[in-house]
């Protein structure tokens, strides 16, 4: 057996190993894809406006017994919750008791009602309680788009200078109440 | 009986409507701009912006009220003279790159652009070496 055949045999063996690489790559990819399909997908679009000031805005009152909302209401030195909601939104009903609890714990809650009619707002508040000190009507989602909110309900922690400090997406559940109170403390 | 069936059907069909807002859509949600050139610009931009409510659709394709409000923003801003890219930037500043369907090279997406180029280069190299090796083999054969 000559040296030349030895090296060609070794080369053939190497080539054989290489043949399996695409298959291994494919199996690896398929495994990864199958695994990722079992993972829950995070569909929340978080606002990139956290840490930035609220825009200039002035919204007419959405309900008869509460004044409207303007940027000036957020610049009085006291941190507040900005609750983006709507009377037509079902999770907003689910979070109503938690908003009352937050109000009872000393949080000031300002509401912005998205695409809503005064009669519907009044009906919602009569049925599910009114934790708001002010409610502005955002008929074209203009303020909602400006603050990077992508749905209802969402709750923003705003510091005393009108800067967004935290965004909570979705309805506030009982376990979120202490966290939001803490965020309000941090915003002081 | 027919009336009863109609009533039941109407009630059932009203369900999805009731869960949406009862307010009419934004003025420019379904109304085109008067200037065809501006409308074309707005329409092209709307096809490349993601609806945040129904995330696999563009705001041009979606009937979600929020998509309508976003179309209103796009048309009003185009009419005001803003460039489509300025409007895209305005939205990306608020929602991140996710709101835009336009492919963009960034710190996280560069491998998507680099890997095909790399694979192409490797394939070209392998091909050149193989063809080169074959040629020298056949030259050696014809030589002997």
């Amino acid at each position: 057996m000559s040296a030349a055949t030895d090296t060609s045999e070794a080369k053939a063996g190497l080539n054989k190993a290489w043949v399996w690489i695409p298959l291994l790559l494919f199996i690896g990819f398929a495994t990864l894809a199958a695994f990722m399909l079992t993972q829950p997908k995070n569909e929340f679009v978080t606002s990139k406006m956290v840490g930035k000031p609220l825009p200039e805005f002035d919204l007419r009152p959405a309900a008869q017994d509460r004044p409207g909302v303007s940027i000036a209401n957020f610049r009085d030195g006291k941190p507040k919750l900005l609750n983006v909601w709507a009377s037509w939104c079902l999770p907003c009903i689910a979070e109503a008791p938690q908003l009352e609890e937050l109000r009872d714990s000393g949080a000031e809650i300002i509401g912005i009602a998205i695409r809503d009619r005064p009669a519907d707002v009044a009906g919602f508040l009569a049925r599910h309680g009114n934790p708001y000190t002010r409610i502005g009507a955002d008929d074209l989602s203009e303020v909602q788009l400006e603050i990077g909110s992508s749905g209802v309900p969402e709750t923003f922690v705003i510091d005393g200078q009108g800067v967004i400090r935290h965004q909570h997406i979705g309805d506030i559940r009982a376990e979120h109440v202490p966290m939001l109170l803490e965020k309000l403390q941090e915003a002081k | 009986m027919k009336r009863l069936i109609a009533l039941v059907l109407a009630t059932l069909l009203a369900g999805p409507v009731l869960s949406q807002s009862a307010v009419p859509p934004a003025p420019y949600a379904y109304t085109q701009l008067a200037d065809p050139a501006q409308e074309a610009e707005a329409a092209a931009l709307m096809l490349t912006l993601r609806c945040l409510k129904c995330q696999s659709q563009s705001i041009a394709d979606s009937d979600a009220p929020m998509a309508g409000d976003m179309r209103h923003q796009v048309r009003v801003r185009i009419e005001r003279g803003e460039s489509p890219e300025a409007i895209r930037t305005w939205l990306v500043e608020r929602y991140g790159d996710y709101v835009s369907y336009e492919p963009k090279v960034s710190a996280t997406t560069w491998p998507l652009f680099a890997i095909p180029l790399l694979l192409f280069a490797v394939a070209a190299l392998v091909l050149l070496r193989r063809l080169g090796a074959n040629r020298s083999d056949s030259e050696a054969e014809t030589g002997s």
Side-chain angles (χ1 to χ4, degrees):
Chain A
M1 206 180 260
S2 72
T5 50
D6 265 2
T7 51
S8 67
E9 259 168 27
K11 216 175 171 184
L14 199 66
N15 278 340
K16 245 181 203 168
W18 273 87
V19 160
W20 294 101
I21 285 180
L23 181 67
L24 288 176
L25 275 176
F26 173 75
I27 290 173
F29 177 77
T31 313
L32 182 70
F35 172 71
M36 293 311 276
L37 277 175
T38 64
Q39 298 303 101
K41 183 175 175 261
N42 180 6
E43 285 176 349
F44 291 157
V45 182
T46 54
S47 173
K48 298 287 177 286
M49 295 301 284
V50 176
K52 294 185 183 156
L54 289 172
E56 297 289 328
F57 69 95
D58 193 2
L59 298 176
R60 68 166 170 84
Q64 287 197 330
D65 59 344
R66 291 288 188 278
V69 184
S70 85
I71 176 66
N73 304 132
F74 290 98
R75 289 182 178 151
D76 62 1
K78 189 188 172 202
K80 295 180 186 66
L81 292 178
L82 170 59
N83 183 235
V84 181
W85 67 287
S87 69
W88 44 265
C89 134
L90 290 178
C92 297
I93 300 172
E95 75 171 3
Q98 280 70 255
L99 286 176
E100 302 244 289
E101 196 183 331
L102 282 163
R103 191 239 354 242
D104 294 342
S105 309
E108 184 178 341
I109 307 169
I110 292 184
I112 289 187
I114 306 295
R115 267 178 263 113
D116 231 328
R117 291 185 303 197
D120 296 337
V121 171
F124 183 97
L125 297 176
R127 242 173 291 138
H128 308 292
N130 185 348
Y132 308 105
T133 55
R134 297 170 168 275
I135 310 172
D138 194 4
D139 296 328
L140 302 175
S141 314
E142 285 170 304
V143 175
Q144 190 183 24
L145 288 169
E146 281 285 358
I147 63 178
S149 155
S150 50
V152 280
E154 282 189 20
T155 306
F156 293 80
V157 177
I158 314 290
D159 72 10
Q161 282 70 51
V163 176
I164 302 170
R165 287 295 168 210
H166 178 74
Q167 178 195 28
H168 179 82
I169 301 177
D171 56 316
I172 301 169
R173 310 234 165 117
E175 65 264 31
H176 300 135
V177 172
M179 180 270 292
L180 284 170
L181 288 172
E182 198 177 302
K183 293 280 178 193
L184 273 174
Q185 279 296 323
E186 285 170 16
K188 269 194 177 147
Chain B
M1 189 61 197
K2 260 186 190 167
R3 271 193 190 168
L4 187 72
I5 291 172
L7 190 73
V8 168
L9 271 179
T11 323
L12 285 176
L13 290 174
V17 180
L18 285 175
S19 62
Q20 296 277 334
S21 59
V23 173
Y28 277 118
Y30 293 96
T31 310
Q32 301 194 339
L33 290 171
D35 179 357
Q38 281 190 329
E39 176 59 28
E41 238 183 349
L45 177 63
M46 289 186 298
L47 277 171
T48 65
L49 292 175
R50 186 189 298 272
C51 169
L52 298 161
K53 200 81 208 159
C54 29
Q55 295 175 3
S56 298
Q57 285 185 306
S58 77
I59 59 170
D61 293 327
S62 172
D63 271 330
M66 195 183 190
D69 288 348
M70 288 169 79
R71 288 197 297 275
H72 174 80
Q73 286 291 326
V74 166
R75 287 197 171 110
V76 165
R77 281 160 195 269
I78 291 272
E79 197 176 33
R80 216 189 282 156
E82 283 185 37
S83 77
E85 281 320 296
I87 300 168
R88 186 193 306 282
T89 309
W90 174 74
L91 277 169
V92 167
E93 274 171 7
R94 273 146 192 83
Y95 295 100
D97 288 338
Y98 191 64
V99 75
S100 170
Y101 279 125
E102 196 184 58
K104 194 177 137 227
V105 185
S106 72
T108 46
T109 60
W110 67 266
L112 292 176
F113 297 86
I115 288 173
L117 288 179
L118 197 74
L119 288 178
F120 186 76
V122 168
L125 206 72
V126 169
L127 214 62
L128 271 178
R129 283 188 59 176
R130 290 240 165 150
L131 290 178
N134 276 351
R135 193 166 301 156
S136 56
D137 277 359
S138 55
E139 270 167 14
E141 273 169 28
T142 48
S144 64

